[in-house]
Structure formats: structure tokens, C-alpha cells
Amino acid sequence: MPRSLPRRAAGAFASALLAATTLTALAHSATAADGTLGSAAAAKGRYFGTAVAANHLGESAYSGTLDREFNAVTPENEMKWDATESTRNTFTFGAADQIVSHAQGKGMKVRGHTLVWHSQLPSWVSGLGAGDLRTAMNNHITQVMQHYKGKIYAWDVVNEAFQDGSSGARRSSPFQDKLGNGFIEEAFRTARSVDPDAKLCYNDYNTDGVNAKSNAVYDMVKDFKARGVPIDCVGFQSHFNSASPVPSDYQANLQRFADLGVDVQITELDIEGSGTAQANNYANVVKACLAVTRCTGLTVWGITDKYSWRSSGTPLLFDSNYAQKPAYAAVLTTLGGTGGGDGGGGNGGDPAAACTIAYARTSDWNDGYNGEVTVTAGAAPITGWTVTLTFPSGQKVSALWNGSPTWNGDVATVRSTYNGNLAAGASTSFGFTVMKNGSSTAPTLGTCTAS
Ligand code: 9MR
């Protein structure tokens, strides 16, 4: 392993003795209007959210990315029945409270997920007889909604109550089997009585296109609206992969629900894949939501591929090092965001300048390593790029090449030099040598902004 500087360590050279500062600097590195998912969505009158797990909030790159990019959250598991009432009438809100207070502190919306669902249901619930089950269901809805009253934008009141396939039937569950079809209506009525200000949603998967399952949900919503059963929104989970691709009638399906007089929301979006194919699929989902006036927002089902429920399918917008993937640039561009580039909107409908970054450690030795950041232009050509990187406290960057750095504590802002002009989709890279000083941790990638 090399112990000296690489031979190509020429050009811009930075020697920075990195002082100990906190990583929170990262959270403030990209606040340009429309330069993040949340701000770009907000400019279109929508939110852009993510599922969040309370146990990752202490990881600075996780919460840094969350705080920078998203303006809505859904607790991934913390509000489910097994988490909030694992023992009858003993309610546990600690983990969910952590997420809600984090979100409130940052002005983010919270989607409540979920009150009545056949899965992640404690066995004491499944064991109850009909009368007792009805009481337990209404009590669960009441206690949980009461606890979060005034803090929740929308609740998934009932989740996944319909069967897959062509039957259009309700799914077998303790609620369905013992209380019959009416449990859904009862859950919504109870929910409305507890928090009249929260939007009440029905949420499901495989209902993203027009099919037997979505037709059955459609009929239910239509019936609810006709009879005055309180329902405000329908959530389309939108978990996609090659076996379950984005349907060609996705937008039409959202629109027909919206036409019933409910909001529609993309609630758990993730799309397995990589590169341009994944980016195009994401762009199509975002386009569909923007084209439907009552599509009020999108939520992706996690921040980083690292913690996705189906991590091996790399379905999210940030890779496992929190680098923005091509899908990120595609979503931001489709939302009309600029990636910090040209202010957006003034380019006659051409894609906005945007870029993504990926990091690799190219060599490693006892007390140092070389890192390389690849910068890739989005759907438009770019004329310059700026990347932020945060190095762990103590590490010393002894050389940096093919980019021009300025330093603020541990945070390097690296600008293109001769290598700022990139065709759409084209890449360049810059590199650096780091003296570990006891820490071999990789730098945290911040934003890539393009002009
Ligand atoms: O992402 C969630 C994962 O961490 C849990 O283990 C799983 C348990 O059922 O639930 C996942 O989230 C699901 C969501 O609550 C409802 N729609 C499907 C999601 C993915 O399975």
C-alpha cells in the first residue's frame, strides 16, 4: 500500500488540519431554494417525505440527509400496533415520539402509519372474540390518535385490507373475519371522532394501476363518499420492481380516485434497480403525482439503500454511503428543482442542471487512504459542479486533486476546475489523500450542485 502521496497529486492542493467540529454542518450545506427534494416539492405545493426509523436518528449522515432533503416523515414501524400496544391497554410511544418530535423541530409533516392492519399485530388481538375485538380496535385507534392529536397530517387508518389477485375480495384478518366488511367504516368513524383535523387515509399496495384490487378499493371509497363515511385520502404504496413495474396507467388510476373527492398520496415509494432505468421510473412516478392536482405528496420508503426493507434491490434515492443516485437527480429535476444550479423554471422546460456523486476508497494503508468522488451530470449538460464532503474529526486531508477545495472545519466544499463541463450523464472524478490519525471512517457525502 502506498505510504506517499499519489503521483497525480498535482493541481489544486489543500493541506487542512481539520479541527473538531460537529457533523451538523452537513445539514446546512444545501439550503438553496428548490435545491432539495422537500423544497422543490414545496414549490409545487406538495411534500416530499421519507419513512424514518427512530434507531437511526443518532447517525449524523442519516439525520443530516433527512433534515436537508425531506419535509415529511412516516415512522417506518414505530406507530404500528405491536410497537404501541403490545400488551392490552399498555401504550408505548417512546420510539414514535422521538420521530414526531424530531419532525416537529424541523417543521416536517408526519404521516401516521398505521392504526388497523393485519400484520405486526400482537397475538392478544388475534385471540379476541368479536365484541372484545371491536372494543380493542376502537380503543387502540382512540388512544394512539389522542396521543398524537394535532401533530399528524394524515393517518393510514386502515392498511392493506384487500386481497391480491382478481377476486376483489377483502383480505382475511382477525378484523375482517370477526367483524366483517364494516370494520373499515367503523375504524374511519372512530378516527374522525378522535382527531377531526387529521386527514384519514386508506393505504394499500398493488393498487397503483387499474386492476381488480384497486377497483375494489375504488368501489369502497366511492361508497364511503356516497354515504358520508369520513375518508379524506387514499395512499398508494408504490413498491415497484421488475415483477411489479410502474403501471402505464398509474396517473390515470390516481386521477380516478382523486375524482371521487379524496386526496391521493404516494406513501411508500421504492423502485428496485439502478442507473438510468431506475431514474426514469422514479421520474415517471413524480410526473404522475404532479399531473394530478389532488396528489398532495410523495413519501419514499427510506432514505438510504443501506437501511431499506429490501436493501439488496437498492430501491432508494441515496446509496448506502448517502450519495445521491441518478434517481435522486431525476426526481429533483422532475420536481423542477435545480440542484442549486440555475434557479429553475427559466429554462423553457429543458431539464435543470443537476449532478450526483458516488464515493470509493481507491487505496488504503496503515495510517492513510485515498478516496475518489465521481461526479455525474444529470439529464442536462452542466458547466460546473460543487460537492460538499465532511471528514471525521481528526482526519487530515494532505492532498486533493482534480478539484478546488475550500474548508470550513471538517467540511470541504470542492469545486470543479478544468473538469466542470460535462455532457448529460457524463462523469468526472476528483481524489484526495487522507491521513487517518486514528479514524479510518469514510467522509460523509453531502450535496452535488451543478450550474
Ligand atoms: O419497512 C417495514 C419493515 O421494516 C418491517 O419489517 C415490515 C414488517 O411488516 O414492514 C415494512 O413496512 C411495510 C409497511 O408498513 C406497509 N406496507 C409494506 C411495507 C414493506 O413491507
Side-chain angles (χ1 to χ4, degrees), residues 9-10 67 77 79 164 229 254 257-258 269 282 304 343 386 402 408 420 431:
D67 296 347
N77 290 299
M79 285 184 177
D164 290 320
V229 179
L254 297 178
F257 276 87
L269 177 63
Y282 263 102
T304 160
T386 304
N402 297 336
N408 178 10

Side-chain angles (χ1 to χ4, degrees), residues 89-276:
N89 242 332
T90 302
F91 287 86
T92 315
F93 293 117
D97 283 355
Q98 249 184 287
I99 296 175
V100 172
S101 61
H102 185 101
Q104 285 198 306
K106 306 288 175 189
M108 299 169 177
K109 284 185 160 60
V110 180
R111 293 194 82 264
H113 177 79
T114 177
L115 294 167
V116 182
W117 187 28
H118 66 276
S119 183
Q120 287 175 277
L121 188 66
S123 53
W124 68 263
V125 184
S126 340
L128 300 177
D132 219 4
L133 179 63
R134 169 171 283 116
T135 307
M137 180 185 84
N138 288 323
N139 183 54
H140 182 77
I141 294 169
T142 304
Q143 299 301 324
V144 177
M145 286 188 74
Q146 193 69 50
H147 182 77
Y148 291 110
K149 193 170 176 171
K151 300 180 178 175
I152 305 292
Y153 161 71
W155 270 107
D156 290 332
V157 178
V158 175
N159 196 40
E160 302 176 4
F162 284 79
Q163 257 178 46
D164 290 320
S166 58
S167 72
R170 306 287 211 271
R171 175 197 294 275
S172 167
S173 73
F175 306 107
Q176 179 66 35
D177 300 349
K178 290 170 190 163
L179 307 180
N181 285 358
F183 89 87
I184 304 182
E185 170 172 352
E186 183 161 349
F188 275 85
R189 290 191 191 278
T190 303
R192 178 69 96 226
S193 72
V194 182
D195 185 355
D197 295 328
K199 286 185 184 292
L200 306 181
C201 301
Y202 176 79
N203 189 51
D204 215 328
Y205 67 93
N206 280 355
T207 50
D208 310 299
V210 176
N211 57 40
K213 191 174 175 182
S214 66
N215 286 345
V217 176
Y218 180 88
D219 290 343
M220 178 188 73
V221 175
K222 191 172 175 187
D223 171 57
F224 279 14
K225 293 303 284 185
R227 292 191 297 110
V229 179
I231 184 167
D232 306 304
C233 38
V234 176
F236 297 84
Q237 294 186 10
S238 306
H239 293 291
F240 297 122
N241 57 23
S242 53
S244 176
V246 182
S248 55
D249 54 7
Y250 190 67
Q251 181 184 321
N253 190 47
L254 297 178
Q255 187 64 59
R256 72 171 176 151
F257 276 87
D259 290 344
L260 291 176
V262 288
D263 288 346
V264 295
Q265 299 168 1
I266 315 303
T267 52
E268 304 181 16
L269 177 63
D270 58 7
I271 309 177
E272 293 187 342
S274 61
T276 311

